[in-house]
Structure formats: structure tokens, C-alpha cells
Amino acid sequence: MDVNTTFKICSSGLMAQRTKMEVVAENLANISTTRTPEGGPYKKKVVNLTAENVSFREQLEDAVKEVKVESVANSEEGFKTVYDPSHPDADEKGNVLLPNVDAMKEMVDMIYAARAYEAIAAAFDATKNMALKTLELGK
Amino acid sequence: MNKIFDRTIGRLESFIAYRSKRQEVIVSNVSNIDTPGYTPAEVKFVDEIKAAKVRMMRTNEHHLQGKNEGKNYSLEREEGPVSLEKSMANLAENHLMHNAAIEMLARKFKSLQTVLKETR
């Protein structure tokens, strides 16, 4: 049994979900950040995932793929404008540009990532149990 | 297999190999649950008894007899996104069947051991 490949796929999946969770945390933490080093309000980050062949061998007609975090991109749409003349970052009309982070969407993404992480962890556990059971043959 | 290790052990061996492969594919499906454009796959067991009946025809007596070896599973692509419920059910089933086969194999070895012990 090729346990290593299976573990590798599992860990790539776990890593991808953890990255998503980190990005959700970052988005939520910056939900009202109006000033960034590159200027303008904070831009919501989005994780892009791709499926990649398990590197060292072509197997099972390419059905077995691991997950790769291809990029963490900025989302450029949906900034909110709020009228608040007392805000230091308000323009001459008194409008403030707020980040395009939707708390509700982020919470949904967070739950999704947590559940996916759990599922992959369960798969990892099952594989580990199978490997241990196989080792029992030698007893 | 020879006289000591009967056909059951060979069967179990190929069954466990199939379960291991299936585990890999299920894990891949679960891990890629979020990946856009990923098509899930499913591994199906090919009945060895059926497969054994299909042999290459010998049109010349100098031809070598074909052997039925190698893969005892076939791969099927499935439509659409990964279903988590289905994948987890497959995972549990695969896990259980793999461990059952290993247990049977272990008992097989144990009975061999018993026979060897009694002849001493």
C-alpha cells in the first residue's frame, strides 16, 4: 500500500483548507481597515486552488491529484461607501471607502473550510488506521 | 500460489491491493473538494473470475499464452463536483473492507502457523 502518496494528498488538502481559514481571518480582521501601504481601503483576499498530479509518478490515469494553493488574489469589486465626514480618510464630500469584505460571506467560508478540514482529517485517520492494520500482519 | 499458500491468500492480496488504490482515489476526491474544475473518480473492482475467462486467442502454437495479471480494478470518471457525503461513506466502507480482508489474511496465516506447530 502506498501510504506516502495518500498522506501527501491529505496534507496538501489540509494545507489548502488552513490557508483558506487564514485568509478568512485576515479578511474579517481587516473588515474596516481604510488605510493600507498600497493606498486605499483593504482589499478582500481570495484563495485560488488547483488540482495537481502527484509529482513523482503518473498513475491511475491521472485520477489521483493533490491540491495546490495557486495564488491568493485581491478582489477588486464591491467597495462600500459610507458617509462619515468626521473620518480622517473621508474625501471632500465626506464619503469613506470601506473594504469589500462581507462578514456574512466570510463566516460561511469559515464554516465551509472547517468542515472540509474535518473531512480530510477523517480521511487521513482512516488511511493511517489501514496502514497500522496492515502492519499487524507481521505480528 | 503454491501448495502452502492456497488461492485464498492470492485473492485476498489482490483485494487488499484494490482497496489501497481505492483509498488513494477517495482521499484525492475529498482533498479536492474545493478545487474548481476537478472531476472526481471512482475505482471499481473487476471480478477476477470473469476476467479470467477472457483470454487472448492463440492463432499460432508458437505464440505465448496470455496471462491475466496486473490491474484488477478499473477507473471511472464521475460527473460534476465531489459529493462529500458519498466520499465519506466510501471512505468508511473502504476502511472497513480493507481491515476485514487484512483480518482474514492474518487468520489464514495463523491457521498455517497452527498446522506447523502441531507437526513438531
Side-chain angles (χ1 to χ4, degrees):
Chain A
M1 179 176 182
D2 193 355
V3 184
N4 281 333
T5 314
T6 322
F7 283 171
K8 210 177 151 195
I9 297 163
C10 273
S11 63
S12 75
L14 289 172
M15 215 169 70
Q17 295 308 325
R18 195 175 40 74
T19 309
K20 285 194 107 179
M21 201 59 123
E22 272 169 25
V23 166
V24 166
E26 190 187 323
N27 286 342
L28 278 176
N30 286 296
I31 196 158
S32 54
T33 307
T34 53
R35 215 176 286 175
T36 48
E38 55 273 13
Y42 172 81
K43 285 167 184 159
K44 180 189 165 183
K45 303 258 186 312
V46 184
V47 182
N48 291 320
L49 302 178
T50 48
E52 202 176 57
N53 281 344
V54 184
S55 52
F56 44 88
R57 63 199 174 119
E58 300 287 314
Q59 51 162 4
L60 284 176
E61 301 156 38
D62 294 346
V64 178
K65 288 188 194 293
E66 64 179 344
V67 194
K68 196 188 157 207
V69 180
E70 194 172 65
S71 64
V72 180
N74 284 331
S75 171
E76 301 283 350
E77 284 169 0
F79 291 100
K80 283 169 275 183
T81 324
V82 174
Y83 181 71
D84 184 4
S86 63
H87 199 285
D89 288 323
D91 59 11
E92 57 274 15
K93 284 178 188 161
N95 288 329
V96 187
L97 211 56
L98 287 180
N100 51 352
V101 180
D102 183 355
M104 200 70 80
K105 270 187 198 156
E106 296 301 322
M107 295 309 274
V108 171
D109 279 353
M110 188 177 81
I111 294 168
Y112 194 88
R115 292 286 172 263
Y117 193 94
E118 252 174 63
I120 300 165
F124 192 103
D125 202 43
T127 312
K128 196 188 74 188
N129 272 327
M130 279 167 73
L132 283 175
K133 190 78 189 170
T134 313
L135 285 177
E136 268 179 38
L137 271 181
K139 262 202 233 163
Chain B
M1 289 284 162
N2 54 34
K3 275 175 191 163
I4 302 174
F5 301 107
D6 63 6
R7 273 189 302 184
T8 321
I9 288 177
R11 288 255 166 77
L12 282 171
E13 185 199 322
S14 74
F15 186 71
I16 291 164
Y18 153 70
R19 288 288 166 192
S20 302
K21 276 287 164 235
R22 183 143 187 251
Q23 180 77 4
E24 255 178 57
V25 172
I26 293 169
V27 162
S28 168
N29 288 348
V30 175
S31 290
N32 283 291
I33 189 152
D34 246 6
T35 313
Y38 174 82
T39 44
E42 168 73 293
V43 186
K44 293 264 158 72
F45 192 64
V46 178
D47 195 342
E48 270 187 279
I49 299 164
K50 266 190 209 154
K53 280 181 188 160
V54 187
R55 280 186 174 267
M56 272 202 279
M57 207 156 68
R58 278 167 90 198
T59 50
N60 186 311
E61 58 183 282
H62 296 300
H63 285 169
L64 291 172
Q65 184 70 55
K67 248 173 141 187
N68 272 88
E69 260 187 26
K71 287 205 279 187
N72 60 341
Y73 49 82
S74 70
L75 195 86
E76 281 173 27
R77 292 275 175 180
E78 290 192 338
E79 287 286 309
V82 185
S83 155
L84 185 62
E85 292 83 0
K86 213 169 126 191
S87 299
M88 296 318 273
N90 281 343
L91 187 77
E93 189 248 346
N94 200 51
H95 183 190
L96 215 70
M97 290 306 284
H98 175 273
N99 283 6
I102 293 277
E103 189 65 42
M104 276 189 248
L105 201 55
R107 287 186 193 193
K108 203 81 195 161
F109 284 136
K110 208 160 215 171
S111 65
L112 271 175
Q113 224 165 24
T114 312
V115 173
L116 290 172
K117 235 183 250 164
E118 296 309 320
T119 51
R120 243 190 268 164

